[in-house]
Amino acid sequence: MASADLLRREEEFYASLFDSAKGGDAVKSRGQMIERKIEVLEDMATKVSNRRSRRWLNDRLLIELVPRLHVEEIKGLFAPPPWGEELPVSAFCRTSVGEWDAFRSIDMDVEARLMQQMKQSSTKQKNHVDRDELVALNSWHHIDRQTREAIKRNFLPDLLEMYEERVRTFIEDTSGKDMLVLNVQDPFQRLLLHGVCEFYNVSSTTTTTVRDGKLWKTTTIKKRSGTGAPSRITLVSFLRMKKNGSQ
């Protein structure tokens, strides 16, 4: 157990280090006093046997080892928010009071009807998209396998879109035009044209004639009895969806 003499010596020595330093030697005196204080506390800690007294001396030693903190340093101990830095302003706080109150005080029945309407609208839109994708998928399977593989292997969106525009315009034409004639001489491009025609369910026939001593290819496109309105999803859009994993 610590003697009364040791405790009295420690109490007398434990004066304010910051008030004791005066004048120009403030920093120097403060540092010297801290060192002396630590030495005395360490010496006293080795001479006491009571656990409570040792703990008391150890606490005083730790206090001297840790310098006093400034306001900003103390504030930093409790960062991040809500203790340290100021909280960012939320979207609800930036909203005007009237608009937020109207949203917060909405009637429960009105809220339920609104949520149901949103759910039904989302379901209808999804079903509508699914139907369009199904039509495009069926149209894609109208194309023979060899042509499908050629289109996927060498995807030329600009050329396909040009052919699609011509064929779609022909299908939607109401002037009574019964055929569309295109002169495509490149064999692969002509294969793509036939694939586009099969996608939109129109017939396409290529004939060969001689022009100026050279073979000339002419593709004639006609509507079939089952030819309907063009698919909402074009062939190029369908292929991009398929490439991205939508199909």
Side-chain angles (χ1 to χ4, degrees):
M1 182 174 181
S3 63
D5 181 60
L6 289 175
L7 295 178
R8 180 179 54 78
R9 285 171 55 197
E10 203 285 333
E11 288 290 348
E12 291 176 353
F13 193 80
Y14 193 69
S16 174
L17 299 177
F18 303 99
D19 295 336
S20 300
K22 304 292 183 180
D25 297 334
V27 177
K28 182 178 179 181
S29 300
R30 179 176 176 274
Q32 292 176 348
M33 292 187 67
I34 289 176
E35 292 180 1
R36 289 177 54 200
K37 184 74 172 183
I38 292 174
E39 291 176 359
V40 173
L41 289 174
E42 288 177 344
D43 181 65
M44 294 176 63
T46 60
K47 295 180 180 180
V48 296
S49 57
N50 185 276
R51 181 181 300 176
R52 185 174 182 181
S53 299
R54 281 181 173 275
R55 186 164 53 245
W56 184 83
L57 291 172
N58 289 334
D59 290 342
R60 297 301 183 275
L61 179 61
L62 291 175
I63 290 174
E64 296 302 330
L65 290 174
V66 179
R68 292 189 178 184
L69 300 178
H70 299 291
V71 175
E72 292 299 327
E73 293 174 332
I74 296 175
K75 183 179 179 182
L77 293 176
F78 298 94
W83 298 285
E85 302 297 331
E86 296 182 0
L87 287 171
V89 181
S90 65
F92 291 118
C93 294
R94 292 195 296 268
T95 306
S96 62
V97 178
E99 294 178 358
W100 170 235
D101 286 342
F103 175 79
R104 182 179 56 184
S105 59
I106 186 172
D107 184 79
M108 295 181 63
D109 294 334
V110 175
E111 179 183 1
R113 288 196 298 270
L114 178 62
M115 296 297 294
Q116 185 65 23
Q117 291 175 0
M118 293 176 62
K119 183 177 179 180
Q120 292 176 354
S121 176
S122 177
T123 302
K124 290 180 180 179
Q125 184 177 5
K126 185 177 184 300
N127 292 337
H128 181 69
V129 172
D130 290 344
R131 285 196 298 269
D132 291 340
E133 291 179 356
L134 182 60
V135 171
L137 180 62
N138 292 333
S139 300
W140 170 250
H141 286 297
H142 288 163
I143 305 174
D144 67 90
R145 183 175 181 180
Q146 180 182 1
T147 306
R148 291 202 305 266
E149 293 299 326
I151 293 174
K152 291 190 296 183
R153 185 169 56 252
N154 192 7
F155 184 47
L156 302 175
D158 294 337
L159 182 62
L160 288 172
E161 286 178 343
M162 183 184 69
Y163 289 158
E164 281 195 278
E165 183 180 358
R166 297 293 300 274
V167 173
R168 291 175 71 95
T169 302
F170 169 67
I171 295 174
E172 295 172 345
D173 182 75
T174 57
S175 63
K177 185 178 180 180
D178 59 350
M179 70 174 60
L180 173 65
V181 178
L182 298 177
N183 298 311
V184 180
Q185 305 306 308
D186 182 82
F188 181 74
Q189 295 181 7
R190 195 163 54 249
L191 178 65
L192 298 183
L193 175 59
H194 285 297
V196 171
C197 292
E198 290 175 347
F199 183 84
Y200 288 101
N201 194 27
V202 292
S203 64
S204 57
T205 305
T206 298
T207 58
T208 305
T209 58
V210 179
R211 179 180 296 184
D212 298 330
K214 296 181 181 180
L215 297 179
W216 185 258
K217 301 291 185 178
T218 302
T219 301
T220 303
I221 302 172
K222 295 182 180 181
K223 297 178 185 178
R224 293 172 177 166
S225 57
T227 301
S231 169
R232 291 177 179 269
I233 300 177
T234 65
L235 176 58
V236 173
S237 299
F238 174 78
L239 291 173
R240 284 174 175 159
M241 292 167 55
K242 189 176 181 68
K243 184 178 180 180
N244 294 333
S246 299
Q247 286 288 337

